[in-house]
Structures are given as structure tokens and as C-alpha cells.
Amino acid sequence: MARTVTGKPPERMSLLSAITFALATLPVTAVDIALLIYLPPHLSGHLGVPLSVVGAAWATVRILDIVVDPVLGVLMDGTSTRLGRYRPWMLTAVPILMTSTWMLFFAKPGVGGLFLTGWLLLLYLGRSMIHLGHPAWAATLAKGYNERSRLYGVMAAVGVAISLLVLTLPVINAALHGPDSRNIEWMGLFVIVLAPAMVGLAVWRTGEQVSPTHAKGANIQDYLQLLTKPDLVRLYMAHFSLTLGPGWMSALYILFARDYKGFNASQASILLLVYTVAGLLGAPINAWLATRIGKHRTLIAATTSYGLGLGTVLFTPYGSVLAAVPTMLWCGFMALGFELSIRSMLADVGDEIRLEQGRERLSLIYSLNTLTTKVAAALAIIITFPLLEKVGYVAKEGGKNTPEAIHALGLIFAAGPIVFVLLGGACVLGWKMTAERHAAVRHELDARDAAAAALALSAES
């Protein structure tokens, strides 16, 4: 298991090494579940923060975030320390996440928009450091087309396992007869206690290899080329749509489950567990399928199947958890193909960009991708919450809703995700970066890197 910064990583990481590395995703995965599903309803339902204030806080943070991610990407690409390029950023992110999680997840009634905006901004800053550094680091560990599918598949599967742990917390809380408001506190403790251990273990046990070209100077034209490269634009559009669709659904899930389907908090959490468990099988199968038919075809198949499956969600009987299980299993299985395909395809295009520019741009590439994630996730709340208010829906616990408002809640919940997920798959139709094309790019890169390393060695001697 590599521990050195400059040592050459193995051609194929062992499963144990890949899992250890993937554990660093814990804080991002856990925080995302809380932010997308539990925190907004907790703020509006339990703490009584108006829906418009919650939406405005998320919108403000996302606007400020527009410049944060690209700046982080540029700084990461230029980082060179004895510890490596990505590991210092991962370690720095942990205390930021821990502090902001405590302030938000243990907030008391009476908090306002300024409080939410400030701590959300810090929480997303820490999240970005890990969310950018981790996949970029992975791309340097797995360089082959299929090996990347395998490593990102392991990362997705570990993320699913972490999600399962987080989603069991409300079920345990309900079994202990705790109030629903305690769910978010348990999730906060999960992040605060485990984040330093999991990120620390991954940093300790996994090395880095810095490409010989990364230290060269940068100019604005290099970055503008990223924004105009057709393959990257298509992937960013796909990722935006594939984040907005499920994010839209996540933002409304608790409200939909409670008022449209008649489920209590424990039943809704059990169905989320079903959705997540399906991903444990979906992640490795999607990764395997990508090695057989290509990453873009796997993504198209997953998005089409997801959209068709989600269309059944409005027609299952009211109050029947069992009837809702097949839809959750189907969609959960397909959803894991989204992120792992996009991340792996971005890494492949990143190799082509390094060949063209002679400089490492992985962190910036992933930062722009993360920016689309944040904008899409914010839009999921910015659009859906005010839209619910417009149709007369009352989100507050114990609020009275008309049949028309409940019907509108169901339509809004299902329509947005179906449209955007199908659009995300359509973005990669006719994709050209196949395994053969990527192998040719890697051959040229490896030859150039070997020549640069030999030149550096002769200069030292």
C-alpha cells in the first residue's frame, strides 16, 4: 500500500486499499443526506423558519459559492507539499466541517437568515475541499479507463454503505421514541465523531503521485479552454441535470412521504434505506457494465430506467410502505450509475486536457463540476419551496392542506426529477471518449511523463 507522495501507485489498487481510500467520502456523504433531505424540513418544520427564508439562505450561499470552487480548484492544482497535493486540503476541511455542522445541526428556534447563510457557507466550504480533492486524487491513483470505473465504483459503494448508516439513525431514534427533531442532531454527531477518523485513515494509508507537469505556470487562457471544451461542457450539463433531478426529489421527499403518501418519519426513513441498499448492488453492476459497453452507454441506460421507474411513484397506494418498495429499489439501483460515470468520464477528459495543455487541471475540472452540483442543489430548494407556497401547500408540522395542494405536491415531486434525469442522459449521446481513444491518450501521457522524469533524474545527477 503506497504511502509516499511521489511513489508510483500500483496499476491496480487492492480492494482493501480502495475501500480505505474511499472512506474519506464519509463527511461529504453524511452531510449531503442531511442537507438535501432532513435539514431544510427541520428548519422550516421544527425551528419554524419560513420556507422563503430557507430558500433565500441556500440561494445566497450558492451565489457566493460561484467563485469559491474554481478558486479552490486553481489552488489545489498548484499545491505542492511534502504531504502531497490533495491530502493537506482534505485534512484542513475536517475542522471546518465539524464546527459548522455543530452550529447548524444543533441550532435552536429563533435562528434567522444571517445565521443560516453564514454557517451554511462554511459548511459548504469544508465540503468542497473534500469533494474536489477526493475524486481528483482518485484519478491519479487509477489511470486506466476500466480501472477508473472500478475505483469510482468502490467509492460509490462505500458511499452507499455510509448513507445506510446515516439513514438508520432516524429509525433508531424512532425505536427509542425520540422526537423527530433529534434526527438531525444524531446526524451531526455522526459527522463530528467519524469525519476526522475516516479522513485521517485515508490520508495516512494512501499515497499520492504528482505528475511532472503540474508545477508549470498557468494562464487564464488555459482555464477558458476548459469552459469551451465541448466534452467538458456536455459532462457539466449532464451532471447539473442529474443533480437537480434527484436533488429536487430529495428536497421534497419528507413532505411528500408525510402528506402525499401518509408515511411517518420512521417509515419514510425505512424507504430511504431501501433506496440506498439498492445502490450497494447498483454501484458494482454499473461499474462492471461500464467496462463492457462504455461509461456513456451505461449512463444513458441508467437515466432512462430511472425516469421510467420514478413515473410509478404517484400510483402506489396511500399509506402502503410495501407497495412503495419496488419503486425505491429500482430507482436506487439506477441512481448509483450517475455519479460514478460522470466522475470517471471527467477524469478521462482530464487526461486529454493535460496532454493538450501540458499541465494538471484535475482539481479545476472537478471544481467546475462541483459548482454545477451546488447550483443545481440550491435550485432544487429555490424552485420547489416557493413553488409549494404558490400552490397553497403548508409545510409546517400540523398544518392544514387542501386536496388540491396535496395533489400539486405529488406532481411537483415527480415531474421535475423525471425531466432532468432524462435530460442528463441525453447530454452524453454520441460520446467519443471510448476506451480505445483514452488508451491512446494515456500512452502519449505516460511516454511524456517518463521522458520528463528521466530528464529530471539526469539533471539531479
Side-chain angles (χ1 to χ4, degrees), residues 138-386:
T140 67
L141 298 172
K143 297 183 178 182
Y145 183 89
N146 290 334
E147 182 59 18
R148 278 180 178 159
S149 293
R150 174 179 175 269
L151 179 55
Y152 286 113
V154 171
M155 292 166 65
V158 170
V160 170
I162 294 167
S163 299
L164 285 173
L165 292 175
V166 176
L167 291 171
T168 58
L169 297 177
V171 178
I172 296 172
N173 182 43
L176 296 175
H177 306 291
D180 289 347
S181 59
R182 193 169 294 164
N183 291 335
I184 203 71
E185 295 178 355
W186 281 36
M187 292 178 186
L189 286 176
F190 183 90
V191 173
I192 292 168
V193 172
L194 292 180
M198 296 299 98
V199 173
L201 180 63
V203 166
W204 174 46
R205 300 295 295 173
T206 311
E208 289 188 46
Q209 183 183 27
V210 178
S211 65
T213 56
H214 107 278
K216 292 184 179 180
N219 58 69
I220 191 64
Q221 286 185 332
D222 292 336
Y223 302 121
L224 292 177
Q225 286 176 12
L226 299 186
L227 298 176
T228 57
K229 188 172 179 63
D231 283 353
L232 279 183
V233 172
R234 291 174 68 186
L235 288 178
Y236 291 152
M237 290 176 62
H239 192 252
F240 174 85
S241 298
L242 296 176
T243 303
L244 180 54
W248 179 302
M249 186 172 64
S250 297
L252 301 182
Y253 175 75
I254 296 298
L255 305 177
F256 174 82
R258 183 187 73 192
D259 293 335
Y260 191 91
K261 288 299 182 183
F263 301 143
N264 59 36
S266 178
Q267 291 172 324
S269 295
I270 288 172
L271 285 174
L272 279 179
L273 284 171
V274 170
Y275 181 94
T276 307
V277 165
L280 281 175
L281 185 60
I285 289 182
N286 274 284
W288 172 83
L289 189 60
T291 67
R292 296 300 184 271
I293 66 173
K295 299 168 188 178
H296 66 291
R297 294 189 186 96
T298 300
L299 182 59
I300 292 169
T303 53
T304 303
S305 301
Y306 185 97
L308 292 173
L310 186 58
T312 66
V313 72
L314 298 178
F315 305 108
T316 55
Y318 181 86
S320 175
V321 174
L322 188 60
V325 167
T327 298
M328 300 300 280
L329 281 172
W330 180 263
C331 291
F333 182 93
M334 297 302 169
L336 259 292
F338 302 170
E339 185 75 9
L340 72 89
S341 293
I342 294 292
R343 283 186 172 188
S344 188
M345 292 165 77
L346 283 171
D348 295 341
V349 177
D351 284 340
E352 186 175 57
I353 290 171
R354 184 159 77 87
L355 185 62
E356 295 169 350
Q357 295 189 2
R359 301 176 181 90
E360 189 68 87
R361 294 290 177 257
L362 278 172
S363 297
L364 182 59
I365 288 169
Y366 281 111
S367 75
L368 295 174
N369 192 56
T370 301
L371 181 59
T372 67
T373 302
K374 292 184 175 182
V375 173
L379 284 176
I381 297 175
I382 295 168
I383 295 173
T384 56
F385 277 30

Side-chain angles (χ1 to χ4, degrees), residues 393-413:
Y393 175 76
V394 179
K396 189 173 178 61
E397 294 174 359
K400 301 297 181 181
N401 283 292
T402 65
E404 292 78 13
I406 298 298
H407 180 67
L409 168 65
L411 291 178
I412 292 170
F413 174 83

